[in-house]
Amino acid sequence: MRSIPYGYRIENGKAVLEPIESDRVKLIFDTYLKTGSLVEVRKASSLDKTHSSFSRILEDPRYRGTDYYPEIIDEKVFEAVQKKRKEVKRKRSKRQTIPVIPGTRFQLRTMEESELPEDPSEKAAYIYEKIEVRE
């Protein structure tokens, strides 16, 4: 596990830019700003990292520069990415409505709690089988 952010290395006790990695950090921010997609970020960066790793990079304020870390990402770009992340999150969190087919009603047949299997997948399948359509 890294103790310093991706894109930096420690040299003589100071954080300095790791050229190839810092260029990838810029690419990560630029790609997310253009696409709003962590999948596209992963493709563009060619890094074998998880979505959560890319998320941590995108939200890490040290990339704007601190007393210890040199700036990789401009303040405007960093803030634009944070705004985009909020927009994408808001879009995903909106509930989707499922269209109702007029005249169709569903009902769950009665069952005893003791009938339910222990395994969650089997339990879901069992309950699903108990749904019936009545007109």
Side-chain angles (χ1 to χ4, degrees), residues 53-119:
S53 296
F54 288 116
S55 287
R56 282 192 298 275
I57 289 172
L58 291 170
E59 65 192 21
D60 193 333
R62 293 177 288 188
Y63 291 115
R64 295 181 296 188
T66 66
D67 291 341
Y68 188 73
Y69 293 102
E71 178 184 287
I72 294 178
I73 302 300
D74 177 81
E75 177 74 26
K76 289 181 184 178
V77 171
F78 186 85
E79 291 305 321
V81 166
Q82 303 318 302
K83 182 179 178 184
K84 181 84 161 189
R85 288 173 55 78
K86 286 180 185 174
E87 290 171 4
V88 169
K89 187 176 181 180
R90 223 175 299 143
K91 282 182 187 177
R92 288 197 176 128
S93 68
K94 287 186 179 176
R95 293 182 183 210
Q96 295 180 348
T97 57
I98 299 171
V100 175
I101 301 169
T104 304
R105 296 182 183 182
F106 298 95
Q107 132 181 354
L108 185 61
R109 289 186 296 220
T110 57
M111 65 182 133
E112 296 295 322
E113 190 72 30
S114 60
E115 294 178 63
L116 295 175
E118 290 294 316
D119 178 79

Side-chain angles (χ1 to χ4, degrees), residues 5-6 24-42 49-64 73-74 77-85 88:
Y6 182 82
R24 281 196 176 137
V25 169
K26 290 175 187 176
L27 179 65
I28 288 167
F29 274 82
D30 291 342
T31 303
Y32 189 83
L33 196 54
K34 289 176 188 168
T35 66
S37 167
L38 293 176
V39 171
E40 294 302 319
V41 166
R42 185 175 190 198
K49 292 188 175 284
T50 63
H51 279 51
S52 61
S53 296
F54 288 116
S55 287
R56 282 192 298 275
I57 289 172
L58 291 170
E59 65 192 21
D60 193 333
R62 293 177 288 188
Y63 291 115
R64 295 181 296 188
I73 302 300
D74 177 81
V77 171
F78 186 85
E79 291 305 321
V81 166
Q82 303 318 302
K83 182 179 178 184
K84 181 84 161 189
R85 288 173 55 78
V88 169

Side-chain angles (χ1 to χ4, degrees), residues 9-16 68:
R9 73 174 186 267
I10 305 300
E11 194 173 283
N12 297 323
K14 293 188 177 190
V16 295
Y68 188 73

